[in-house]
Amino acid sequence: MMKIPDFLKFKFSLLSLTFIFSLPALSAEVPELEAALEGFEQTGFENIQPITPVSKPASKWQIEGKLTTQAAYAYSASEREWKQASLRGDIGIDYRDSDWRFTFNSHAVYDSIYALNGKNNYSKQELNSYESELEIDEAYIQRKLNENIDVSFGRQIKVWGKSDNIRITDVINPLDNRIPGLTDIEYLRLPVLMTQANYFWQNWTFSFIALHEQRPSKIAPTNSDFLPTIQMIGYPITLPKLSDESNWKTTPAFSAEGRFSGWDISFYAAEVQQSQWTLNPNQTERAFEQTLMQGIAGNYVLSDWLIKAEVAHFNNIHYSNSPETFERWDSLLGVEYLSIPNWSFSAEMANRHISDYSKSLSSFPDLIAEDTWQTALRGSYDFHHERGKISYLLSMNGLNWEDGGFQRFWVDYDLNDNSNITIGVIDYIGGDHAYWQAIRNNDRLFAEYQLYF
């Protein structure tokens, strides 16, 4: 793996910090791209996205749902076969008046591909992870106390940060990472139980959060398509069970988000679970340890460009191959260009630097370098009066993209007001990193049909 010269250490983080702290000085006339910042405004009651884009509710109560059929075919594997033939149902109930809001969302999934291909061809862990699922998603109650304060309690999603493709300060909710790269981050967040109080003052929103649920991320089971230990280290091993139970420990989180003419800035701090699991000698299960994060993020509109930056500092990071804990700096710079009608483009680059790095972390299962780099390039085109969208996403790891990654091309099209279809292809790209090299033949064609009711 490529060694990063010392003079590059922290360079990326310092560049991002310089950009963020220069935002006030850079304030200027607001071009047409100011509209791009509207999506970052949060007023509490607008925080939860509706389950369907159909018409506005005619009453205080709204009940909606959708049925989704999904199929995937592995076209470059040694044994070409269908990988998914699932049916998913979603139901959402929402009540709102001038002071109260109640939301409940749930979903159920059954993937018949395991019965069709023969369950004997899969491990118990694979069947438990992929075959069926029944979950309560967002479920919370929210109360507007006055024009400046609202409070909420329940399972919620809290989005931090500015990046659409790479997580830096977006640490509140764990992710469903069982099939990496196939779905955008916005659809992968897992809601957690929290109490949240928002205070709105002029251009600022202050959020005080108590995270009651430390929920583990969902990852691929050992020796499945997306965690193939034999391809990663040359021989198969059975890792201890990964705990899938939430830890009901309450931890604090805080954010202050300011929105101004042509720019915005946010400050974050939280005690949350790490995104990667660890396995220490005295543990019988793999687990997600706690870490402390302090971060800052900002957007700035410059002519036809939206420039974004994020920096996060993590304390008490745990890894499997060392009894020590580490500090890590994560930083990101990105741009978006939205001024060509029907087209949008974005580019983001992130660096993660581990202080006082130990070479033991480069071995399995950590497989992590002192500096890791990630680049995401994205483009999309709206057509047929925005009924359809063609999108492309390239996500590569390594300073020179040498570690591998994936590219995804897909088309969404609204057949009518109540249904849409998605077809696409994801291509996994091998490289110097053992993980991406191991899953390089998991390329898939995929299709999805959604019916709203």
Side-chain angles (χ1 to χ4, degrees):
M1 188 169 294
M2 184 176 179
K3 176 70 175 176
I4 304 303
D6 290 341
F7 69 89
L8 280 179
K9 294 177 181 179
F10 300 111
K11 182 178 179 181
F12 201 72
S13 299
L14 292 175
L15 184 58
S16 298
L17 280 171
T18 301
F19 165 75
I20 289 171
F21 284 107
S22 66
L23 286 175
L26 290 173
S27 59
E29 293 184 1
V30 184
E32 60 274 16
L33 270 186
E34 185 181 5
L37 289 173
E38 293 178 354
F40 299 103
E41 184 176 20
Q42 291 186 351
T43 60
F45 278 79
E46 300 170 352
N47 193 33
I48 306 302
Q49 299 299 315
I51 196 171
T52 170
V54 188
S55 58
K56 295 181 179 178
S59 68
K60 295 179 179 179
W61 287 95
Q62 185 178 17
I63 301 177
E64 296 176 329
K66 67 177 178 181
L67 289 175
T68 304
T69 58
Q70 296 173 305
Y73 180 74
Y75 64 90
S76 64
S78 56
E79 294 183 4
R80 297 180 179 181
E81 63 177 354
W82 289 96
K83 291 292 186 179
Q84 187 177 20
S86 66
L87 177 64
R88 170 175 171 142
D90 287 79
I91 186 72
I93 302 172
D94 188 77
Y95 170 87
R96 66 176 71 189
D97 60 23
S98 59
D99 294 324
W100 288 92
R101 180 175 184 179
F102 168 76
T103 290
F104 176 86
N105 294 320
S106 181
H107 75 267
V109 180
Y110 176 70
D111 193 340
S112 61
I113 200 65
Y114 299 96
L116 294 172
N117 287 345
K119 293 186 180 182
N120 292 334
N121 295 318
Y122 302 94
S123 67
K124 180 181 178 181
Q125 290 74 22
E126 287 178 284
L127 295 175
N128 289 340
S129 181
Y130 295 117
E131 185 180 24
S132 62
E133 184 175 81
L134 174 61
E135 283 201 5
I136 295 174
D137 301 313
E138 290 178 289
Y140 64 92
I141 188 169
Q142 192 168 21
R143 174 76 162 97
K144 183 178 180 180
L145 301 180
N146 56 46
E147 292 301 319
N148 300 104
I149 300 176
D150 69 57
V151 295
S152 60
F153 172 79
R155 266 196 163 178
Q156 302 169 67
I157 289 176
K158 184 70 174 178
V159 180
W160 282 1
K162 311 302 177 184
S163 170
D164 296 322
N165 305 300
I166 302 174
R167 299 185 92 197
I168 300 295
T169 58
D170 181 23
V171 297
I172 296 297
N173 298 95
L175 294 185
D176 182 348
N177 276 324
R178 290 175 292 181
I179 305 179
L182 190 62
T183 309
D184 287 344
I185 290 175
E186 64 179 304
Y187 303 111
L188 299 177
R189 296 185 181 93
L190 302 174
V192 296
L193 184 69
M194 68 177 79
T195 300
Q196 179 179 188
N198 295 312
Y199 177 69
F200 308 100
W201 177 72
Q202 297 183 1
N203 295 322
W204 289 88
T205 300
F206 301 92
S207 297
F208 304 87
I209 305 169
L211 298 169
H212 307 299
E213 181 181 14
Q214 310 300 318
R215 185 177 183 182
S217 297
K218 294 182 179 180
I219 66 170
T222 306
N223 298 320
S224 65
D225 287 347
F226 292 99
L227 191 52
T229 59
I230 188 170
Q231 285 87 358
M232 295 172 69
I233 57 178
Y235 53 90
I237 63 171
T238 300
L239 294 170
K241 177 185 176 183
L242 177 65
S243 175
D244 57 1
E245 300 292 331
S246 295
N247 181 354
W248 302 101
K249 172 187 176 183
T250 297
T251 60
F254 169 78
S255 67
E257 301 176 275
R259 177 177 160 80
F260 307 94
S261 178
W263 63 283
D264 65 53
I265 191 167
S266 301
F267 302 89
Y268 308 111
E271 179 183 349
V272 293
Q273 281 194 333
Q274 294 181 189
S275 59
Q276 76 279 1
W277 55 263
T278 61
L279 175 62
N280 294 320
N282 59 344
Q283 291 178 321
T284 57
E285 290 187 346
R286 290 175 286 161
F288 293 91
E289 302 287 351
Q290 297 291 121
T291 185
L292 301 173
M293 189 280 286
Q294 309 88 39
I296 180 173
N299 284 304
Y300 179 70
V301 178
L302 180 65
S303 185
D304 294 329
W305 298 85
L306 174 65
I307 303 173
K308 56 183 70 177
E310 297 187 44
V311 176
H313 175 250
F314 292 85
N315 295 94
N316 201 41
I317 291 279
H318 293 255
Y319 294 100
S320 298
N321 293 336
S322 175
E324 307 294 331
T325 58
F326 296 84
E327 294 183 17
R328 196 182 75 202
W329 285 89
D330 294 2
S331 53
L332 175 142
L333 276 177
V335 295
E336 286 187 30
Y337 187 78
L338 306 171
S339 292
I340 301 178
N342 300 322
W343 286 90
S344 66
F345 303 94
S346 68
E348 297 172 347
M349 189 172 187
N351 169 262
R352 295 179 174 87
H353 174 80
I354 301 173
S355 301
D356 299 321
Y357 178 77
S358 169
K359 289 186 178 180
S360 64
L361 305 186
S362 63
S363 302
F364 185 85
D366 293 322
L367 296 174
I368 191 165
E370 182 176 9
D371 283 272
T372 57
W373 297 82
Q374 184 179 0
T375 302
L377 305 176
R378 190 184 190 104
S380 64
Y381 172 70
D382 294 317
F383 64 97
H384 200 181
H385 306 290
E386 299 186 348
R387 288 184 63 177
K389 174 179 284 189
I390 300 172
S391 303
Y392 174 77
L393 172 64
L394 173 67
S395 178
M396 295 299 295
N397 299 282
L399 184 59
N400 298 306
W401 301 4
E402 70 278 8
D403 286 340
F406 70 89
Q407 57 181 337
R408 175 161 51 101
F409 173 83
W410 70 104
V411 180
D412 296 299
Y413 190 79
D414 294 333
L415 300 175
N416 51 51
D417 289 342
N418 298 315
S419 65
N420 75 298
I421 188 171
T422 301
I423 58 173
V425 58
I426 183 167
D427 172 34
Y428 293 97
I429 303 169
D432 293 342
H433 194 281
Y435 177 74
W436 294 104
Q437 180 69 8
I439 69 168
R440 66 189 185 283
N441 291 325
N442 284 339
D443 308 333
R444 295 182 178 187
L445 299 169
F446 60 90
E448 178 180 282
Y449 172 76
Q450 292 184 318
L451 175 65
Y452 298 94
F453 57 90

